[in-house]
Amino acid sequence: MSPLVCETPETDWKASFSREFQQASLQHLEEGFILFFPNLSFHLTGDETEFLSPHIVRKSKNVSYSVSNREIKGTVLTKQAAFRIGNLMHRFAESTRGLLYNLLPRYRGSLKQGRTSFRPVEIAGRLTSWRKDDTRLHVDCFPSTPLRGRRILRAFSNVNPAGCPRHWRVGEPFPDLAERFFPKLKTSFPGMHTLLHLLCLTRAKRSEYDHYMLQLHDYMKQDLDYQKNARQDALEFPAGGTWLLYTDQVSHAATAGQFQLEQTFYLPVSAMERPATSPLRILEKMAGRCLA
Ligand code: SIN
Ligand code: FE
């Protein structure tokens, strides 16, 4: 395993952790490490294994679930089956929230739970545009859902029934990445964020931070020389494993694997122990101004 990953043997989603372990986990995450629980498995019940098929999704390639209103998107399943996969995803949403609350008590009052996603399609060889191609190194940010400086903390579980790992590559630390691409990043033109919002192209008004992060994402993915030659480690996350990271900070690419659950959480930078490690503060320091 790469030195970028902190490995821990926990097997129980409801485990409680020592103060030292909580503190070390918080520090590692904020510094841009991946917390890896190789034995923390998310179990499907017997009849849920029928959902382990790439044929249950539409073009989006993911089933998406909202724990707050139980809305399911992206599946071709019948209403009844969609209700059952919703139950599965609800369990994952609650398990990951419980884990984060116990592991990172500092964040408890500030974490906002985003969507849950199930990814039943093999990633290797999938045809997509370069911008949507997550087999290329990138940091996460969303074109239509502005972050306005909030962090993206994600939990992943590999539920592959044949025991196949999920293959990732992890790139250089965020400060190096920001330094490399910052000279290319341009400020927005006046009124741009308002216009995009008025045209309903964004769910809220973008901040300059979103504008910078989207450019960073695109410059990374477009640059084939960077994709090939940038410093990077290959990682394998085994079936039955779970991992946590800030995907807005850790440069990552998912190169192969099938059947994964993912849960997104948002966190305001002000809730961090060390906000200076956040992409927002790093980019602000370089820009010499407030970006969100
Ligand atoms: C991504 O966030 O880029 C994809 C991760 C994955 O599906 O393993
Ligand atoms: Fe990503």
Side-chain angles (χ1 to χ4, degrees):
M1 265 295 170
S2 146
L4 284 167
V5 178
C6 304
E7 201 167 317
T8 53
E10 194 48 66
T11 56
D12 181 2
W13 287 94
K14 294 194 171 131
S16 47
F17 300 96
S18 69
R19 268 183 116 62
E20 293 73 40
F21 190 79
Q22 289 170 337
Q23 191 54 27
S25 300
L26 181 73
Q27 269 177 14
H28 282 129
L29 269 179
E30 292 193 357
E31 277 164 18
F33 285 81
I34 299 175
L35 298 188
F36 176 40
F37 299 78
N39 305 314
L40 185 57
S41 310
F42 185 77
H43 296 291
L44 307 195
T45 61
D47 61 350
E48 284 173 349
T49 52
E50 74 178 82
F51 301 133
L52 295 170
S53 157
H55 305 299
I56 69 165
V57 287
R58 294 186 211 279
K59 256 193 1 225
S60 65
K61 311 280 190 220
N62 299 334
V63 184
S64 161
Y65 176 74
S66 164
V67 71
S68 55
N69 61 10
R70 294 187 177 247
E71 175 198 46
I72 300 174
K73 285 187 194 162
T75 180
V76 298
L77 288 167
T78 62
K79 214 169 163 192
Q80 221 175 23
F83 178 77
R84 286 196 300 113
I85 202 172
N87 287 341
L88 181 172
M89 294 174 76
H90 196 86
R91 271 200 334 274
F92 186 69
E94 295 203 317
S95 300
T96 52
R97 183 173 56 216
L99 176 72
L100 289 198
Y101 280 7
N102 290 336
L103 185 66
L104 308 165
R106 182 192 171 91
Y107 290 171
R108 210 174 283 174
S110 313
L111 276 178
K112 182 167 173 286
Q113 194 153 13
R115 294 192 79 87
T116 316
S117 123
F118 177 55
R119 305 175 176 181
V121 180
E122 170 60 51
I123 315 168
R126 234 169 64 172
L127 290 176
T128 52
S129 65
W130 63 266
R131 194 173 266 131
K132 288 193 176 156
D133 182 2
D134 287 340
T135 69
R136 302 183 188 204
L137 287 168
H138 65 284
V139 283
D140 286 350
C141 55
F142 309 123
S144 57
T145 309
L147 293 166
R148 303 153 78 113
R150 285 180 307 166
R151 305 301 315 272
I152 307 173
L153 180 55
R154 285 184 148 168
F156 297 91
S157 280
N158 180 356
V159 294
N160 189 290
C164 301
R166 198 151 188 103
H167 294 259
W168 275 31
R169 290 182 294 131
V170 171
E172 63 189 334
F174 192 87
D176 298 350
L177 185 66
E179 201 150 321
R180 183 187 301 275
F181 287 101
F182 191 79
K184 286 177 177 268
L185 307 184
K186 296 192 175 60
T187 54
S188 62
F189 61 79
M192 177 178 172
H193 304 321
T194 306
L195 184 65
L196 288 173
H197 188 35
L198 284 175
L199 293 172
C200 297
L201 295 173
T202 57
R203 285 197 183 89
K205 204 173 144 185
R206 266 186 202 163
S207 62
E208 272 306 270
Y209 172 68
D210 294 288
H211 183 69
Y212 275 56
M213 287 294 280
L214 288 163
Q215 291 179 81
L216 182 56
H217 170 276
D218 287 1
Y219 278 124
M220 290 173 77
K221 281 191 174 173
Q222 268 175 325
D223 187 339
L224 294 180
D225 181 60
Y226 179 74
Q227 291 294 328
K228 190 159 165 245
N229 297 316
R231 205 169 96 207
Q232 53 195 283
D233 289 296
L235 304 181
E236 275 186 27
F237 296 107
T242 294
W243 59 107
L244 309 174
L245 66 146
Y246 275 118
T247 56
D248 54 355
Q249 173 180 10
V250 179
S251 158
H252 61 284
T255 49
Q258 188 177 14
F259 305 120
Q260 169 168 264
L261 281 155
E262 176 268 323
Q263 175 65 57
T264 300
F265 295 88
Y266 299 102
L267 186 89
V269 166
S270 57
M272 296 176 66
E273 184 179 66
R274 297 206 295 138
T277 61
S278 66
L280 174 66
R281 295 287 178 251
I282 290 169
L283 291 173
E284 283 184 335
K285 205 167 160 193
M286 301 180 79
R289 67 190 177 109
C290 217
L291 297 176

